[in-house]
Amino acid sequence: MSSILHFESLHSAALPPGPLHLAIGMFDGVHLGHRAVIEAAVQSARRSGGVAVVLTFWPHPSTIFRPEHATRLITPTAQKVTLLAGLGVQAVITHPFSAAFSAIEAVDFLPYLRQRLPALAAVYVGENWRFGRGRTGDIALLLAEGRRLGLHVFSAPRVNLDGEPVSSTRVRAWLEAGEIAAANAALGYTYVVEGPVIPGKQLGQKLGFPTLNLAWDPELRPRFGVYVVRVSGLKRAGPLPGIANYGVRPTVESATRPQLEAHLLVACPFGPGDIIKVEWLRFIRPEMKFPDVAALRAQIARDIVASRG
């Protein structure tokens, strides 16, 4: 994976020299629809000797417009940057989405960018992208303003899956429903969690199914339950087959914060402090409370059999 520059605002972006090909959007999840926009910017930049850059935002605009029902993000900023690096993007600008920024008139948006990014040569967005105060700006306005300023504007058509457009909203709904296969299809990659292994309470060990525990508390929580997974380490073997439980472990404790626990189906080379990646492949069953530990142990054994089916 190529290295990538990351700047926390338009004001601090010290970009490499060359014509700037700028893909703009929230890009939460970096799904197939987003990739159509981003890959167009990357390919055009490579052809012209330019620089491929993504302009994205944090927090989500919903925190300004409807804070009581703010959208929960699929991918935190650090993971988004990693995904974008894998697509060949050379730099990411995560600009603060504030009330002042949202008040910029649509007609003033491209001049605002041009003033801060003088090398701007082309803008890439999805065909349904809206911008400016009250979201009044659309592709027609973007094209008109681009012509006036001498900027190329590319709008990528929406990507469909099963006859419906791929969207972050659909991916969120699938993750919350445990429909991990559908989410993975729309993402274009396997939903993955990365983080350090933390010491646990050895509850899995006592059950005969030792687990790797991750300190992971996403905004958008997938459905609590048991999943088929693959586990890889940054410095050791992988990917290795396993199952994982994500939830609050109601049979053995009354946890208030969910935790991800992965049990490998082969010898485990990982331990506390190791950075691992857990790829989610298939949903097996929802999390449930069992009458006793023996019943839980028997179900885990059945889950392992189901994971190999």
Side-chain angles (χ1 to χ4, degrees), residues 19 33 47 55 70 73 75 145 177 196 266 269 273:
R47 285 195 299 267
L55 172 61
L73 296 177
T75 44
E145 286 299 299
V266 295

Side-chain angles (χ1 to χ4, degrees), residues 6-184:
H6 184 210
F7 304 100
E8 295 184 348
S9 82
L10 284 161
H11 312 296
S12 65
L15 299 171
L20 175 59
H21 293 257
L22 187 70
I24 309 175
M26 269 304 298
F27 300 133
D28 185 29
V30 195
H31 58 57
L32 290 177
H34 298 147
R35 287 168 180 242
V37 177
I38 295 159
E39 288 170 358
V42 170
Q43 291 166 11
S44 294
R46 286 174 178 168
R47 285 195 299 267
S48 65
V51 183
V53 178
V54 163
L55 172 61
T56 188
F57 309 99
W58 191 91
H60 193 278
S62 61
T63 61
I64 301 296
F65 301 121
R66 44 181 177 84
E68 68 282 1
H69 299 294
T71 297
R72 291 168 292 176
L73 296 177
I74 301 165
T75 44
T77 297
Q79 186 180 13
K80 185 193 294 186
V81 171
T82 298
L83 290 166
L84 293 171
L87 296 178
V89 172
Q90 293 161 269
V92 175
I93 304 169
T94 303
H95 191 72
F97 196 94
S98 63
F101 181 78
S102 70
I104 297 172
E105 296 293 343
V107 73
D108 295 327
F109 184 70
L110 279 185
Y112 176 89
L113 291 182
R114 192 67 172 278
Q115 182 180 15
R116 287 153 183 80
L117 303 171
L120 185 63
V123 171
Y124 303 77
V125 297
E127 66 177 5
N128 63 322
W129 188 63
R130 308 290 297 215
F131 61 97
R133 183 183 181 94
R135 301 182 75 245
T136 55
D138 58 10
I139 293 303
L141 177 60
L142 200 65
L143 287 166
E145 286 299 299
R147 283 192 294 268
R148 186 177 68 81
L149 295 171
L151 299 174
H152 297 293
V153 173
F154 174 85
S155 62
R158 302 196 76 173
V159 174
N160 288 342
L161 176 66
D162 297 331
E164 296 291 335
V166 172
S167 69
S168 299
T169 299
R170 291 184 78 194
V171 174
R172 291 184 194 105
W174 280 323
L175 290 173
E176 290 180 317
E179 296 179 26
I180 194 68
N184 287 343

Side-chain angles (χ1 to χ4, degrees), residues 194-217:
E194 182 175 316
V197 177
I198 60 172
K201 298 180 180 179
Q202 305 299 312
L203 299 175
Q205 184 78 44
K206 293 173 184 175
L207 288 169
F209 303 100
T211 61
L212 298 166
N213 305 322
L214 270 73
W216 179 64
D217 190 20

Side-chain angles (χ1 to χ4, degrees), residues 193-205 209-216 231 243-247 249 253 258-264 268 270-276 278:
V193 175
E194 182 175 316
V197 177
I198 60 172
K201 298 180 180 179
Q202 305 299 312
L203 299 175
Q205 184 78 44
F209 303 100
T211 61
L212 298 166
N213 305 322
L214 270 73
W216 179 64
V231 180
I243 62 171
N245 185 82
Y246 177 61
R249 307 171 297 287
E253 62 176 331
Q259 184 166 296
L260 180 63
E261 303 169 296
H263 168 70
L264 294 186
C268 179
F270 309 117
D274 285 334
I275 306 296
I276 64 172
V278 181

